[in-house]
Amino acid sequence: MASILRSVRNTERLAKITLVLVRHGFGEIVSRLPLGPLKGAPPAPGEPGRFAVRLREVLQDLGPSFVKLGQVMSTRGDLLPPDVVAELQKLQDEVPPMSAEEVDEVLAEAYGGDLDHVFAELSREPLASASIGQVHAARLRGEGDAEGAEVVVKLQRPGARTTVERDLDLLYMFARLVAEYVPESRVYQPVALVAEFDRAITAELDYGLEADNALRFARNFQSDASVRFPVPYREVSGKRTLVMERFRGQHIDDFVAAGGPGTGPRIAKRALRVVAKMIFEDGFFHADPHPGNIIMLGTPDEPVLGLIDLGLVGRLSEDMRDKAISLMLAAVTNDVDGLAEALLGMGRARGRVDMARFKADVVRISEKYLGRSLKDVELSGLVRDMVQGAVEHDIEMPADMMMVGKALMTVEGIGKQLDPDLDVVEELRPYLTEIVMQRYSPQRIGRDLLRHARQLGGMLQTLPRQVHDVLEDLRSGRLAVETRDPARTTTVDRLGRRLFSAIIAAALIAAGTALLIARPERSLGTWMLVIATVIVGIHVVADWRRAKAAARRR
């Protein structure tokens, strides 16, 4: 019964999605999808508006899950045109706060009758409200260090997980249909975009994961007093609630206005170094460090960055961090060959890359940025355009690299706003140089050699057994070597058709010749020879065109 109700609800939701798409001028796309009775008619004649604007309006009309999808899409400047990215960046979680009844429902589920034993105070008015949940101010009753602690309580909206899971199922279905039936959409990788959104929204729904992220960030920066992360209180958090330390601070603009003239540049440099450490040293970084997620603590002389909203993070493996650093150093030293090699190393080529054309594009992009003075170089824009250029050459880049570009762009924008004279490259140069020195330090080289030695030792241990197994299979006749040729099926099919045509042509020639000898049937014989000649001619022309196309590809 539950599955039937779910199917009915999904059908209703799918019908709504279809109607919204048609209403905003996407009826032509909907009409190409095999949606049966849900297909929409093409839109009424008239000016449908720019594609980017219509796409944003569709996502807004479809609700919170789709707004989140648009926000994730706005980070993919490597896939989407600049006007679409700019329009999707306007999407905000404009949702009304939960009702008092919904707040009580979530609190009752999490704490039951123990609410007053957990919180000495809990405001029913939210500090902030978003599509997944909202934040309330509270004070713990607790014991020890937690006694009387000021906290914020994140409450997840009732039914948020169910709604997201339903919309994800429909989004995957739509993405696969669009990729199959609208071939021109494949360049935007619709299924990959939905998968990336799936990861982002699932992380946001998992409040336990956000608590883990806060603890990991705190460990990474335990020796750095210039940045802080809220302490989670797991013992009083639940499945749909998260209790974390409340930062009593100021917005960046208010903090700078209250401080002296050097406050802005000081904050800009600290924010830049914090994000650089997250990306290039730790490989674990805040994916969206915009001003709304930064609360200023400390004093104007010693500002402290309080980073919040830690649900969505990016990760870079040690190998990928090394390649990202190589990319940055190549950019700083204007090494075009180094830029091209770093990009190729970071991505995965789907086919053969035309290196001459690829390097020419790298030169073009690097000249756009590196022809300026170092102070004017935009590293975030360079990373974005380089990654987008690699994708245009059919080099698949990891999604986390675009998150790196977005994080750099965000903190670079904050820095330039606080300090118009901020020299990003000069600020990062000593830091990146130090990381490179650590990469080639005796300790790092020794560790890498030890790891490779362990891997080689493991291979040497298993090698005799593997050789023995192969020789045993060879002795017993169980060893078979099979080769695969992707073009074999096409070749065999073409050969079969040629053989069939050759048999028919030979029969026609033989029959036509015999009829020409028999004078009364000479006209029929002529026609048979003509048909045989046409068959042979078709194959000759087809082979000539095929050879010409192959020569062009080479």
Side-chain angles (χ1 to χ4, degrees), residues 6 31 36 68 92 109-110 119 121 134 146 171 198 211 246-247 256 279 353 358 363 401 409 422 427 512 542:
R6 191 182 305 112
S31 66
K68 286 290 181 186
Q92 301 294 329
E109 177 190 302
F119 300 105
E121 301 173 17
Q134 60 189 38
L171 280 169
D198 187 352
R246 182 180 184 184
F247 285 157
V256 171
I279 294 172
V353 178
F358 178 57
V363 169
M401 275 310 299
M409 180 176 63
L422 178 67
E427 284 297 320

Side-chain angles (χ1 to χ4, degrees), residues 250-259:
Q250 294 177 285
H251 189 275
I252 288 182
D253 294 341
D254 298 331
F255 191 85
V256 171

Side-chain angles (χ1 to χ4, degrees), residues 459-473:
M459 291 170 58
L460 290 175
Q461 285 180 353
T462 59
L463 184 61
R465 169 55 56 187
Q466 292 171 346
V467 172
H468 176 271
D469 291 343
V470 170
L471 293 175
E472 183 63 24
D473 288 344

Side-chain angles (χ1 to χ4, degrees), residues 209-383:
L209 185 61
E210 182 171 352
D212 292 340
N213 293 342
L215 293 173
R216 181 170 175 180
F217 277 125
R219 286 196 302 271
N220 291 344
F221 285 87
Q222 59 184 348
S223 60
D224 188 349
S226 66
V227 61
R228 283 197 59 203
F229 304 89
V231 177
Y233 293 88
R234 286 183 173 277
E235 64 278 8
V236 290
S237 298
K239 194 173 182 180
R240 290 167 57 193
T241 60
L242 175 62
V243 181
M244 302 188 79
E245 175 187 7
R246 182 180 184 184
F247 285 157
R248 285 285 194 177
Q250 294 177 285
H251 189 275
I252 288 182
D253 294 341
D254 298 331
F255 191 85
V256 171
T263 305
R266 200 172 295 121
I267 295 173
K269 292 176 182 178
R270 291 198 176 188
L272 189 62
R273 290 190 186 125
V274 165
V275 172
K277 180 184 184 306
M278 287 180 177
I279 294 172
F280 301 113
E281 188 173 340
D282 303 330
F284 182 77
F285 58 94
H286 196 306
D288 193 16
H290 64 76
N293 287 335
I294 301 174
I295 297 176
M296 294 307 305
L297 309 169
T299 65
D301 291 333
E302 290 296 331
V304 177
L305 304 172
L307 292 179
I308 61 173
D309 198 5
L310 308 173
L312 182 60
V313 297
R315 292 175 173 82
L316 289 180
S317 65
E318 186 175 56
D319 179 60
M320 192 59 69
R321 292 200 301 274
D322 286 346
K323 291 171 181 174
I325 293 169
S326 297
L327 179 73
M328 292 297 178
L329 288 175
V332 170
T333 58
N334 206 359
D335 180 2
V336 175
D337 288 338
L339 282 171
E341 290 170 6
L343 280 173
L344 277 175
M346 294 167 71
R348 181 175 65 87
R350 294 194 185 97
R352 187 174 180 180
V353 178
D354 184 341
M355 288 303 299
R357 195 165 65 89
F358 178 57
K359 285 190 176 182
D361 282 351
V362 170
V363 169
R364 176 181 53 80
I365 295 171
S366 63
E367 285 177 349
K368 173 183 174 183
Y369 291 94
L370 303 181
R372 313 173 184 179
S373 65
L374 287 179
K375 187 177 72 172
D376 297 327
V377 172
E378 297 178 2
L379 281 182
S380 59
L382 175 65
V383 171

Side-chain angles (χ1 to χ4, degrees), residues 119-177:
F119 300 105
E121 301 173 17
L122 195 153
S123 172
R124 298 306 175 100
E125 291 297 320
L127 294 172
S129 181
S131 56
I132 299 299
Q134 60 189 38
V135 180
H136 293 254
R139 186 184 298 274
L140 289 177
R141 196 172 294 281
E143 297 178 354
D145 293 338
E147 184 177 1
E150 284 191 287
V151 295
V152 291
V153 185
K154 294 184 73 170
L155 304 180
Q156 193 172 112
R157 290 177 181 271
R161 184 175 293 274
T162 304
T163 301
V164 166
E165 289 173 351
R166 178 199 61 194
D167 285 347
L168 274 172
D169 288 341
L170 295 176
L171 280 169
Y172 273 117
M173 185 196 74
F174 249 98
R176 293 188 187 102
L177 289 176

Side-chain angles (χ1 to χ4, degrees), residues 1-155:
M1 183 66 179
S3 62
I4 295 175
L5 291 175
R6 191 182 305 112
S7 298
V8 171
R9 285 195 290 267
N10 284 351
T11 303
E12 291 174 351
R13 180 65 167 159
L14 187 57
K16 179 182 177 182
I17 293 172
T18 303
L19 290 174
V20 171
L21 286 169
V22 172
R23 187 167 68 244
H24 287 283
F26 293 96
E28 191 273 334
I29 293 178
V30 172
S31 66
R32 294 163 66 177
L33 305 181
L35 298 176
L38 293 176
K39 277 190 178 181
E47 177 55 48
R50 290 191 302 116
F51 172 82
V53 175
R54 290 187 288 122
L55 178 60
R56 175 180 57 79
E57 291 172 346
V58 164
L59 297 174
Q60 283 178 325
D61 285 358
L62 290 175
S65 297
F66 289 81
V67 168
K68 286 290 181 186
L69 172 63
Q71 291 171 346
V72 170
M73 291 167 62
S74 71
T75 68
R76 297 309 305 267
D78 57 325
L79 295 178
L80 302 176
D83 62 323
V84 173
V85 171
E87 197 65 35
L88 293 181
Q89 286 173 345
K90 299 177 183 178
L91 288 170
Q92 301 294 329
D93 288 331
E94 296 175 355
V95 292
M98 289 191 279
S99 65
E101 292 77 14
E102 289 175 319
V103 171
D104 289 338
E105 176 188 337
V106 178
L107 291 173
E109 177 190 302
Y111 304 105
D114 295 331
L115 182 63
D116 292 335
H117 297 289
V118 175
F119 300 105
E121 301 173 17
L122 195 153
S123 172
R124 298 306 175 100
E125 291 297 320
L127 294 172
S129 181
S131 56
I132 299 299
Q134 60 189 38
V135 180
H136 293 254
R139 186 184 298 274
L140 289 177
R141 196 172 294 281
E143 297 178 354
D145 293 338
E147 184 177 1
E150 284 191 287
V151 295
V152 291
V153 185
K154 294 184 73 170
L155 304 180

Side-chain angles (χ1 to χ4, degrees), residues 501-517:
S501 300
I503 293 172
I504 296 297
L508 289 171
I509 291 171
T513 303
L515 290 173
L516 283 175
I517 294 173

